[in-house]
Amino acid sequence: MTNEIVENQELISQSIRELSERLIRPYSRQWDDDQHFPSDLFRQLGEQGLMGMLVPVSYGGSGLGYREYVTAIVELSRVDGAVGLSMAAHNSLCTNHILLFGNEAQKQTYLPRLATGEWLGAWGLTEPNTGSDAANMRTTATQDGDYWVLNGSKNFITHGKSSDVAVVIARTGPPNTQHNATAFIVERRTTGFSGGRKEDKLGMRASETAEMLFQDCRIPDSQRLGEVGDGFVQSLKVLDGGRISIAALSLGIAIGAYEAALVYAKEREQFGQPIANFQGISFKLADMATDIEAAKLLTYQAADLKDAGRPVTKESAMAKLFASETAVRVANEAVQIFGGYGYTKDFPVEKFYRDAKLCTIGEGTSEIQKIVISRQILK
């Protein structure tokens, strides 16, 4: 790693840390309580170049790599995981899918709007009856001349109601067959496309999660991404990068919870001394710090491989698996260190505790990551 990369990473980290303290931390508690999606914030993040970090400058993006992208997600998530999640979903899924598989006209049309935060993106794969079993999806796209007609629904979609554009994967072949899905770009204003029920969630409450509904939604063939039948193959490649972003999200949440617990352990006194002096607490902090460092190494290793254009399926799954489970363990221990106060909303660790669990579920559960990893090592 060159000194220039390290310096660039440090500059990004410091800049986003200051931005987070100013634009996010003062409002985080209220957004969480109200389950309010702060759409204006993401336009501001777009102005700062954070909504198109991986997009080339020629398309209005920041033209940065995954190492810088990971750094940005970590810094946002150490203050509010919900903001980190929305920023990551916009960049890694919708925007990145168009960047990787769109034709030149599609890139010119959508990437500048997404990269600047003018438009917010969503990505639709999951359905009510098909989570990991995506080959059995029920949302269909039927060709009608130069158009495709979409029918069905997607759920657990980040920005399912508020997005301006979505990449949607729909079945174009028989269920449970290979190459039976195709990806499409669908604009919010398209007739037959609407947002459905918004989920009332345990954590990540300021990141909108909702249904996307399609009823005789007609879109021209020019909105198709890549070849017919390539939708699921494309999705797997998108998810390789997406898992790095969830690892970064997990890492940020773990760091935020750890930092809060460390400060509290130094300040909270019992029996005439800070509780950090007691071995029961100090050993918890030692384990938390060690797990965070290990998660950091795995996450940045995956980011560096992605930047180098090397295969990253195994490494991104490993990073996502370990970092997400670390976030849950660290947040749990942070609540324990705070004791009764950790169980109240007056202190930040209860939110980290609630937010962390999503990281072991979204973009492939921990169990799915183990399937991915085992298949890679048993090839």
Side-chain angles (χ1 to χ4, degrees):
M1 197 189 323
T2 66
N3 288 335
E4 182 180 353
I5 292 175
V6 173
E7 289 174 5
N8 195 29
Q9 187 178 335
E10 289 176 350
L11 284 172
I12 290 171
S13 179
Q14 184 60 38
S15 173
I16 298 175
R17 187 167 297 191
E18 293 172 357
L19 179 149
S20 298
E21 294 296 332
R22 179 167 50 89
L23 297 180
I24 300 172
R25 193 181 295 279
Y27 313 105
S28 180
R29 164 75 186 274
Q30 197 63 51
W31 292 341
D32 183 74
D33 285 348
D34 297 343
Q35 200 169 196
H36 170 70
F37 177 60
S39 55
D40 288 344
L41 170 68
F42 294 97
R43 280 187 279 274
Q44 291 176 287
L45 296 185
E47 293 170 2
Q48 299 299 316
L50 298 183
M51 300 298 275
M53 294 196 72
L54 304 171
V55 176
V57 174
S58 58
Y59 295 116
S62 299
L64 297 171
Y66 268 81
R67 175 165 279 270
E68 293 88 354
Y69 176 47
V70 163
T71 300
I73 297 172
V74 168
E75 289 299 335
L76 291 173
S77 304
R78 64 182 286 275
V79 175
D80 192 326
V83 174
L85 172 62
S86 275
M87 179 268 204
H90 172 93
N91 275 276
S92 289
L93 300 179
C94 178
T95 304
N96 201 39
H97 199 137
I98 296 171
L99 176 64
L100 290 174
F101 299 106
N103 58 38
E104 188 58 30
Q106 290 166 340
K107 291 178 182 179
Q108 292 284 357
T109 299
Y110 295 106
L111 291 181
R113 291 171 172 173
L114 290 164
T116 57
E118 177 188 350
W119 277 18
L120 187 68
W123 191 75
L125 177 64
T126 302
E127 298 185 1
N129 295 295
T130 55
S132 302
D133 183 17
N136 196 31
M137 69 175 67
R138 297 182 183 179
T139 297
T140 60
T142 305
Q143 193 161 16
D144 181 16
D146 293 331
Y147 284 80
W148 292 85
V149 182
L150 272 65
N151 280 288
S153 64
K154 300 290 182 178
N155 75 331
F156 297 136
I157 306 303
T158 305
H159 313 142
K161 290 173 73 77
S162 295
S163 58
D164 299 284
V165 65
V167 171
V168 180
I169 295 84
R171 183 163 56 79
T172 50
N176 293 313
T177 59
Q178 292 187 332
H179 304 291
N180 71 344
T182 305
F184 301 91
I185 303 171
V186 187
E187 294 184 18
R188 177 65 59 179
R189 60 193 176 191
T190 307
T191 302
F193 174 30
S194 61
R197 184 174 69 93
K198 180 178 177 179
E199 302 294 342
D200 188 4
K201 300 176 296 182
L202 169 74
M204 301 291 195
R205 292 171 61 80
S207 177
E208 179 188 272
T209 305
E211 294 176 313
M212 294 195 301
L213 307 175
F214 303 93
Q215 185 173 6
D216 294 329
C217 178
R218 290 176 62 86
I219 55 173
D221 187 57
S222 60
Q223 298 298 96
R224 172 171 48 84
L225 278 162
E227 299 300 319
V228 175
D230 281 354
F232 191 58
V233 174
Q234 293 175 9
S235 297
L236 291 177
K237 293 179 180 178
V238 169
L239 286 171
D240 274 350
R243 285 166 180 155
I244 297 173
S245 70
I246 299 298
L249 171 66
S250 306
L251 181 57
I253 290 171
I255 290 171
Y258 165 73
E259 289 175 341
L262 182 63
V263 170
Y264 183 81
K266 290 178 178 179
E267 294 177 346
R268 171 71 167 171
E269 290 194 0
Q270 292 287 274
F271 305 102
Q273 59 182 311
I275 63 172
N277 291 352
F278 297 110
Q279 190 176 83
I281 301 298
S282 64
F283 277 18
K284 286 183 185 297
L285 292 167
D287 286 339
M288 294 158 76
T290 302
D291 279 353
I292 286 170
E293 285 303 309
K296 188 181 299 183
L297 290 169
L298 280 169
T299 303
Y300 278 104
Q301 173 190 245
D304 289 342
L305 287 172
K306 194 82 170 72
D307 284 337
R310 295 172 59 185
V312 75
T313 300
K314 179 184 71 177
E315 289 79 7
S316 65
M318 285 179 167
K320 197 270 189 188
L321 171 64
F322 187 82
S324 64
E325 295 292 344
T326 290
V328 172
R329 286 194 301 271
V330 169
N332 181 61
E333 291 288 48
V335 171
Q336 196 71 15
I337 288 170
F338 271 78
Y341 292 113
Y343 205 66
T344 72
K345 287 183 174 289
D346 294 328
F347 292 86
V349 290
E350 67 86 28
K351 183 178 184 301
F352 287 123
Y353 183 77
R354 289 185 289 107
D355 287 349
K357 189 56 193 171
L358 182 277
C359 300
T360 69
I361 299 170
E363 294 195 35
T365 63
S366 291
E367 291 74 21
I368 288 294
Q369 304 314 309
K370 291 178 182 180
I371 291 174
V372 172
I373 294 163
S374 62
R375 284 178 178 171
Q376 291 293 311
I377 63 179
L378 291 172
K379 274 184 177 179

